[in-house]
Amino acid sequence: MPGFSPTLNMSEQAPPEQIVRVALDLPLRRLFDYRPPDDEPLSAGDIGYRVCVPFGQRQKIGIIVALGSDSDLPPGQLKPLTAVLRDVPPLPRSWFRLATFCAAYYHAPLGQVMLSTLPAGLRSVAPARPRPHRALAERAPAQAPPSLTADQQLALRVMAANAPGFHAYLLHGVTGSGKTEVYLRLIGRILEAGLQSLLLVPEINLTPQLEERVAARFPGAGLVSLHSGLGEAARSRNWRAALRGEARIVLGTRLAVFAPLPELGLIVVDEEHDASYKQQDGIRYSARDLAVFRARDNGLPIVLGSATPSLESWANAAAEDGRGRYQLLSLPQRAVEGARLPTVRTIDTRLDKPRDGLSATLLMAIEQRLAHGEQSLVFLNRRGYAPVMTCVACGWTSHCHRCAANLVLHLADHCLRCHHCGYQTRVSRQCPTCGNQDLSAFGRGTQRIEAVLGERFPQARILRVDRDSASNRRHWNALLASIRNGEADILVGTQMLAKGHDFPRLTLVGAVAPDAALFAADWRAPERLFAQLMQVAGRAGRAEWPGEVLLQTQFPDHPLYQALLRHDYRSFAAMLLREREQARFPPYAYQAMLRAEAPRMAEALSFLAAARACPALDRNPQVSSYDPVPMRLSRRASLERAQLLVESVSRPALQVFLDQWVSELEAQPVPSRLHWHLEVDPVEL
């Protein structure tokens, strides 16, 4: 900013007035200048404190980012800070570097990045009701750790030999191989060194049992969780404990990557391949990638764990020349003595035709498990009773009037519901078009499979586990308790049951309808399907009883299923990476997606066409663009949606272009009803 120094009619000048630069939660890529409070001069130690500032006719919460002596505004127009909020310590400089990198890489306003990571109570002008400080709970005596396998010992020795400093490890372990035990041993080392650990998981429903296990291993160590399922008071309390250093272990979902940890010594990203680490609205960041940056920036180790690593991480670790960015560590065997990987078989549904979605072979296998007192899991990643209702007389279908999607029949609630915008309506007794009362439900969801199994096995205790039955943490914990206590014989579930859970009595997994993803438009679909099926297969046979996995498919010879039969992630990943290299897809190219939504598709496409004509593309020949096209879900919540893909084989070249492009896009006039956003490294195309 240009300098400013007031001149007096004297032989000497007054010292320049102190300027406080504040980040505010606004969609503007700039900081805002204020004066210190009249009676409170500030110092460099005040950078990182929250402040209350006047903004227009309102008061807003901001964060002090810097102190200076010059401003674009004359001194008379600078307003003083209303207050410096010292109820929590200032945010550490390492946190500032993380937020700054996030804003720069994902091309988001710095103030929005910083403020959005704080608990809601700390972003509010209204003062929070004071609560007495509560020490973190002491727990029962620590549980003795189990003995380690040879593979676990080797992985830990390698990591111990490399310490200290930044090292990125990809821990590739089959399901049940004891990756969590490796994490716990590492956390124990970090606690002994007097440092904090950050353990990230992809979904809220994975936190309760992992939190229980970590707490049992390290009672009184100061464990807190950070995720959206917590009440606001609990989240604020845990966030403050992390900032003060009282919490030595922080367990959380993607937003926890921003947890302020002044003494951070280790980051673990469990199930690192999971798409849930990518934020899909607001600031569209990848928590996994930010975690790697944070580890490198702070000079500390990071462990990325998965049975099915993302191809980006696998490419970083499996370089043929041995110079990969990550060090690959393998756990190829299950950790429980006597436990073996389940046998995987395909059921050719062209020969064994399913009735009501279930083949005779799968039903017979379930019956055998019931006879032996073992549990079975029928996996179908589609909730509801049926994907669509239709009229056989006139062809009417239950279409959502707000989205380019069908209303799903939820028979338990007797409603039709859109899984995209949330609209729902009661099931009609007759066709709304022709009045015909013969309406049919086509396709199958978890509710329908549950009903079919109930008719086939009337004595069995059947438990459905999906987002409808586990709508909150209390319901989810109750379902898990029922499964572990042996109160369910057959589980019907979605991907909520696919990863991270250990059910000793579960010996059979049946995947009902996996084929749809084989030929999906999204080129990432095979990678996701393989990961999903391998993860859900890993629920079977984790104790002394052998496990079996049955895959109902019309394409039993497909390379994806053949790799699953061998539990062969390596060859499948190598095949996909060869295909992506030939097609110049990530990780061999870098992409960004510009999306627009408007009441009419023509408006969205017109904006994207103008964006493609921006001079920035001409100035950056290393960046290429594609034609604007409607999104796969072209209409959502009454808005038409379109997208424009840009890519480059050079990440730095793409970033230079995006910086210029965003400035040009923000300078363009757009209709008030049109909204656009940019997503770097998109995971949904």
Side-chain angles (χ1 to χ4, degrees):
M1 295 181 182
F4 176 82
S5 179
T7 302
L8 304 180
N9 295 323
M10 298 181 182
S11 59
E12 61 180 19
Q13 293 182 343
E17 186 171 10
Q18 190 179 49
I19 306 299
V20 185
R21 299 216 158 86
V22 176
L24 296 175
D25 188 2
L26 294 168
L28 301 172
R29 300 171 199 276
R30 52 163 293 194
L31 302 176
F32 296 84
D33 291 353
Y34 289 87
R35 290 189 289 111
D38 295 333
D39 57 347
E40 189 179 356
L42 302 180
S43 66
D46 293 309
I47 294 175
Y49 274 118
R50 292 156 42 251
V51 290
C52 183
V53 302
F55 191 85
Q57 301 299 313
R58 299 172 296 158
Q59 295 285 318
K60 292 185 71 68
I61 296 297
I63 298 173
I64 299 177
V65 172
L67 302 177
S69 59
D70 56 356
S71 174
D72 287 337
L73 297 174
Q77 294 185 22
L78 289 175
K79 298 178 180 179
L81 304 176
T82 304
V84 179
L85 307 176
R86 304 180 189 275
D87 53 327
V88 295
L91 292 155
R93 297 300 173 91
S94 60
W95 182 90
F96 271 77
R97 294 194 299 270
L98 176 65
T100 301
F101 171 80
C102 179
Y105 186 80
Y106 295 105
H107 300 273
L110 179 61
Q112 285 191 330
V113 171
M114 288 184 166
L115 274 298
S116 68
T117 69
L118 305 186
L122 298 180
R123 303 195 304 265
S124 173
V125 173
R129 280 185 291 174
R131 292 174 177 266
H133 178 66
R134 193 164 75 183
L136 298 175
E138 294 291 329
R139 302 179 189 270
Q143 291 183 355
S147 57
L148 295 173
T149 66
D151 295 319
Q152 289 172 320
Q153 293 176 29
L154 176 60
L156 288 165
R157 280 199 303 270
V158 169
M159 288 186 266
N162 288 338
F166 168 68
H167 296 278
Y169 303 98
L170 180 61
L171 185 62
H172 174 221
V174 299
T175 53
S177 60
K179 294 185 290 294
T180 303
E181 182 58 32
V182 173
Y183 305 155
L184 294 177
R185 296 294 179 110
L186 292 172
I187 290 172
R189 293 177 182 176
I190 295 301
L191 288 174
E192 291 175 359
L195 299 174
Q196 296 171 291
S197 297
L198 174 62
L199 175 53
L200 297 179
V201 294
E203 296 178 8
I204 294 173
N205 58 31
L206 295 179
T207 57
Q209 66 176 16
L210 187 55
E211 185 175 4
E212 185 178 299
R213 186 168 174 182
V214 175
R217 179 66 62 85
F218 306 112
L223 167 66
V224 300
S225 57
L226 287 173
H227 53 76
S228 60
L230 293 173
E232 182 51 43
R235 185 180 168 217
S236 179
R237 182 169 60 248
N238 292 352
W239 187 93
R240 291 168 187 255
L243 177 59
R244 291 191 177 106
E246 299 162 359
R248 309 311 288 174
I249 307 170
V250 173
L251 168 64
T253 49
R254 61 174 175 258
L255 189 58
V257 74
F258 292 102
L261 297 160
E263 299 174 307
L264 184 60
L266 170 71
I267 301 176
V268 175
V269 184
D270 192 27
E271 307 289 0
E272 66 86 29
H273 68 279
D274 200 292
S276 298
Y277 282 120
K278 185 67 183 285
Q279 175 79 13
Q280 294 294 340
D281 54 22
I283 300 159
R284 292 164 169 81
Y285 64 89
S286 166
R288 178 198 63 203
D289 295 348
L290 288 181
V292 174
F293 168 84
R294 188 172 189 180
R296 183 174 62 245
D297 181 61
N298 287 270
L300 53 90
I302 181 170
V303 180
L304 309 174
S306 177
T308 54
S310 66
L311 290 187
E312 287 80 3
S313 295
W314 188 254
N316 278 331
E320 293 181 359
D321 58 7
R323 293 184 295 178
R325 294 173 58 203
Y326 303 163
Q327 185 165 358
L328 179 62
L329 302 171
S330 296
L331 302 177
Q333 303 294 329
R334 286 194 155 172
V336 175
E337 186 176 355
R340 298 290 182 268
L341 289 172
T343 302
V344 182
R345 295 194 294 126
T346 56
I347 300 173
D348 190 339
T349 54
R350 296 168 300 180
L351 304 176
D352 186 353
K353 295 186 182 298
R355 294 185 58 186
D356 294 318
L358 302 173
S359 63
T361 302
L362 178 56
L363 290 171
M364 185 180 302
I366 294 173
E367 189 169 20
Q368 291 171 351
R369 266 61 184 192
L370 289 172
H372 290 89
E374 301 168 12
Q375 290 176 325
S376 303
L377 166 61
V378 178
F379 174 73
L380 175 61
N381 202 29
R382 184 188 299 134
R383 59 193 177 98
Y385 185 84
V388 64
M389 286 194 71
T390 185
C391 174
V392 296
C394 71
W396 167 88
T397 59
S398 56
H399 195 75
C400 178
H401 69 282
R402 301 174 62 191
C403 302
N406 291 321
L407 296 175
V408 177
L409 174 61
H410 285 252
L411 202 59
D413 303 323
H414 202 68
C415 73
L416 294 166
R417 183 177 301 150
C418 179
H419 288 180
H420 299 283
C421 71
Y423 171 80
Q424 69 178 39
T425 183
R426 302 294 294 173
V427 177
S428 176
R429 294 184 178 180
Q430 60 186 26
C431 174
T433 301
C434 70
N436 174 41
Q437 296 186 358
D438 186 14
L439 300 181
S440 298
F442 276 84
R444 291 162 192 85
T446 50
Q447 291 182 6
R448 190 166 193 168
I449 295 296
E450 178 188 25
V452 170
L453 288 169
E455 294 175 2
R456 178 66 174 76
F457 304 110
Q459 304 304 318
R461 297 167 297 178
I462 301 173
L463 192 65
R464 175 169 50 86
V465 182
D466 55 25
R467 201 184 306 168
D468 298 316
S469 62
S471 56
N472 56 48
R473 186 167 181 174
R474 180 173 57 83
H475 292 159
W476 173 246
N477 289 339
L479 289 172
L480 288 180
S482 296
I483 298 170
R484 292 201 182 99
N485 293 336
E487 298 169 7
D489 303 312
I490 305 173
L491 312 178
V492 180
T494 60
Q495 63 181 352
M496 293 182 71
L497 283 177
K499 53 199 169 219
H501 303 295
D502 193 353
F503 306 130
R505 294 180 58 243
L506 181 62
T507 60
L508 174 68
V509 170
V512 171
D515 285 345
L518 290 179
F519 307 103
D522 188 347
W523 48 266
R524 293 183 188 271
E527 176 188 2
R528 290 178 181 149
L529 176 62
F530 186 89
Q532 190 177 76
L533 291 178
M534 184 167 272
Q535 291 285 340
V536 74
R539 299 316 105 204
R542 295 173 70 95
E544 65 273 12
W545 295 319
E548 183 180 24
V549 180
L550 301 178
L551 308 174
Q552 292 189 169
T553 174
Q554 296 185 59
F555 310 100
D557 297 325
H558 193 283
L560 185 148
Y561 294 130
Q562 290 301 307
L564 279 168
L565 264 58
R566 303 188 303 270
H567 299 277
D568 190 358
Y569 170 82
R570 289 173 178 265
S571 68
F572 184 71
M575 179 188 72
L576 287 187
L577 284 173
R578 286 193 299 269
E579 292 177 355
R580 292 197 185 176
E581 188 172 20
Q582 293 170 359
R584 207 179 69 168
F585 284 166
Y588 303 102
Y590 305 95
Q591 298 179 330
M593 186 75 79
L594 179 65
R595 294 190 172 98
E597 56 184 29
R600 296 188 301 117
M601 180 61 74
E603 292 177 313
L605 291 173
S606 176
F607 168 79
L608 295 177
R612 195 184 185 201
C614 283
L617 271 170
D618 295 330
R619 293 196 300 268
N620 293 273
Q622 289 183 275
V623 178
S624 58
S625 65
Y626 294 83
D627 291 334
V629 294
M631 293 176 61
R632 279 187 294 154
L633 184 65
S634 60
R635 182 178 175 84
R636 180 177 180 177
S638 300
L639 291 174
E640 303 288 342
R641 312 193 309 160
Q643 62 188 23
L644 166 63
L645 180 67
V646 295
E647 67 179 15
S648 175
V649 294
S650 167
R651 192 196 298 271
L654 180 63
Q655 282 292 321
V656 169
F657 160 73
L658 292 177
D659 196 49
Q660 299 170 6
W661 200 33
V662 167
S663 296
E664 293 175 358
L665 292 173
E666 289 181 332
Q668 286 191 11
V670 297
S672 60
R673 298 179 299 174
L674 184 143
H675 302 282
W676 62 269
H677 68 263
L678 180 70
E679 182 175 356
V680 180
D681 301 332
V683 295
E684 298 284 350
L685 299 181

